[in-house]
Amino acid sequence: MNINSYIEYSQEVREARKTGKAIVALESTIISHGMPYPQNVKTAREVEDIIRSKGAVPATIAILNGKIKIGLSHEELEYLGQATDVIKASRRDIPYILASKKDGATTVAATMICAELADISVFVTGGIGGVHRNAEVTMDVSADLEELAVTNVAVVCAGAKSILDIGLTMEYLETKGVPVLGYGTESLPSFYTRSSPFSVNYKVETPEETADILKAKWDLGLKGGVVVANPIPAEDALDENEMNRIIERALNEAEEQGIAGKEATPFLLGKVKELTDGKSLTANIALVKNNAHIGADIAVHYAKLAKVESF
Ligand code: PSU
Ligand code: MN
């Protein structure tokens, strides 16, 4: 058995692997289930271009026709953005999708798994899954958190959304030994807004400092990921009180309609977008792009550390 028989690299990523250039992983659930067409595809392309402009190579990850794709072509991205039967793929879904040669859009958890298989250490997205509100009854805890506990990939995001129980999410990450770094902030960003009532574990100021932390963690064999929480730019942030009200409404509707399991997060994201008249989508796009800048810088510095080591 050869793991590589399951994986296909884009030309650009293949070359970057050969030359040791920094590579940044990107997820695809955000494309298929997180944003509507055509904004999803446009954003995905712009995010890739930001990463290129920073001297790194983007690797958008998805499962297409039973292969793990590391880096997507324009056509593949377009397909993923429009198709309606793509499976939201987290850890548990990967084997079925591969074996049945279906298509899957990878969540944070699944993207981390695929990134690690492809030796990619830095991954940029919008928000991670977490412990849902009322999880003490529903047991709805995103597989993203368990993945952060065991898979060696840094996830650059804009923190956790308040559709989640942010406090319980932080407790879970603490139990699992996952460092949560605030990029230029002491307060944990909460996606649409720059702060939350919760503190990050450590504030970092530069990509160098962040890359050094990743290196120390993995040099010691301390398995698992790192969350780099980067606040949404001030000019794109939404009003906290208004967002809390809207999120409460979305949560109530989800409960009334009995939405559970893997449908919960996409349902809530969709409702929030509807209730904000699309303002949440604009904010979401802005924060992902902002994360791409930081993530690419971190990846470039981390790749430099790896190069120094190999001399
Ligand atoms: N949060 C967002 N946008 C997203 C997601 C989460 O703000 O698109 C997606 C990510 O792919 C994440 C997944 O990994 O939802 C989590 O789903 P679940 O809660 O079912 O694990
Ligand atoms: Mn869930």
Side-chain angles (χ1 to χ4, degrees):
M1 196 281 312
N2 180 358
I3 287 179
N4 285 320
S5 66
Y6 292 98
I7 302 179
E8 273 176 19
Y9 295 94
S10 68
Q11 179 74 18
E12 190 185 15
V13 172
R14 209 175 313 129
E15 274 164 28
R17 279 164 59 83
K18 253 191 245 148
T19 57
K21 207 170 169 188
I23 305 173
V24 176
L26 298 162
E27 64 156 306
S28 44
T29 295
I30 191 176
I31 302 172
S32 66
H33 294 72
M35 287 185 194
Y37 183 83
Q39 289 94 333
N40 56 358
V41 173
K42 182 165 179 279
T43 305
R45 288 203 178 125
E46 287 170 357
V47 165
E48 290 194 346
D49 283 337
I50 290 169
I51 289 168
R52 289 188 189 99
S53 77
K54 292 269 172 166
V57 166
T60 303
I61 293 176
I63 304 174
L64 293 177
N65 195 22
K67 293 276 184 199
I68 295 172
K69 296 275 188 174
I70 311 286
L72 299 183
S73 68
H74 274 291
E75 294 72 30
E76 288 166 337
L77 204 58
E78 190 67 36
Y79 165 73
L80 206 64
Q82 294 199 48
T84 50
D85 53 353
V86 175
I87 302 171
K88 175 180 163 191
S90 195
R91 170 180 273 266
R92 62 128 192 244
D93 308 288
I94 296 173
Y96 169 78
I97 299 171
L98 289 178
S100 60
K101 300 210 169 353
K102 294 200 165 136
D103 300 328
T106 50
T107 62
V108 169
T111 306
M112 288 178 74
I113 293 170
C114 299
E116 189 176 60
L117 289 173
D119 294 317
I120 302 173
S121 305
V122 180
F123 161 26
V124 164
T125 188
I128 53 169
V131 180
H132 280 257
R133 297 207 209 169
N134 212 26
E136 61 275 29
V137 175
T138 63
M139 289 187 73
D140 189 350
V141 177
S142 173
D144 292 355
L145 298 185
E146 208 55 49
E147 210 57 52
L148 281 160
V150 298
T151 300
N152 302 343
V153 175
V155 181
V156 182
C157 63
K161 267 207 183 76
S162 45
I163 58 170
L164 302 170
D165 188 319
I166 300 181
L168 291 187
T169 301
M170 288 299 281
E171 290 292 349
Y172 201 99
L173 291 169
E174 177 174 300
T175 299
K176 297 293 179 175
V178 180
V180 178
L181 309 177
Y183 203 87
T185 180
E186 304 271 359
S187 170
L188 180 71
S190 60
F191 205 83
Y192 301 119
T193 53
R194 290 176 59 80
S195 63
S196 73
F198 301 91
S199 298
V200 297
N201 305 142
Y202 301 101
K203 177 181 178 180
V204 290
E205 302 279 5
T206 62
E208 288 88 344
E209 198 186 340
T210 313
D212 285 343
I213 294 170
L214 303 183
K215 184 166 188 302
K217 176 164 175 152
W218 296 327
D219 275 354
L220 292 182
L222 298 175
K223 278 181 78 63
V226 172
V227 175
V228 181
N230 181 38
I232 184 172
E235 63 272 25
D236 301 301
L238 301 180
D239 181 72
E240 196 173 339
N241 291 331
E242 186 192 345
M243 286 317 290
N244 285 340
R245 268 198 310 276
I246 283 171
I247 286 168
E248 288 294 341
R249 265 187 70 183
L251 286 163
N252 285 339
E253 286 198 35
E255 202 184 338
E256 277 162 23
Q257 295 184 38
I259 309 286
K262 69 191 289 189
E263 319 303 335
T265 298
F267 177 89
L268 292 169
L269 296 177
K271 268 287 157 221
V272 168
K273 177 183 161 269
E274 190 186 306
L275 295 171
T276 57
D277 270 333
K279 259 195 299 181
S280 70
L281 178 60
T282 313
N284 200 347
I285 292 169
L287 67 84
V288 178
K289 288 185 186 172
N290 188 42
N291 294 344
H293 282 102
I294 304 301
D297 285 344
I298 295 169
V300 165
H301 285 283
Y302 188 74
K304 263 189 214 155
L305 295 176
K307 259 195 186 148
V308 171
E309 191 113 295
S310 63
F311 279 125

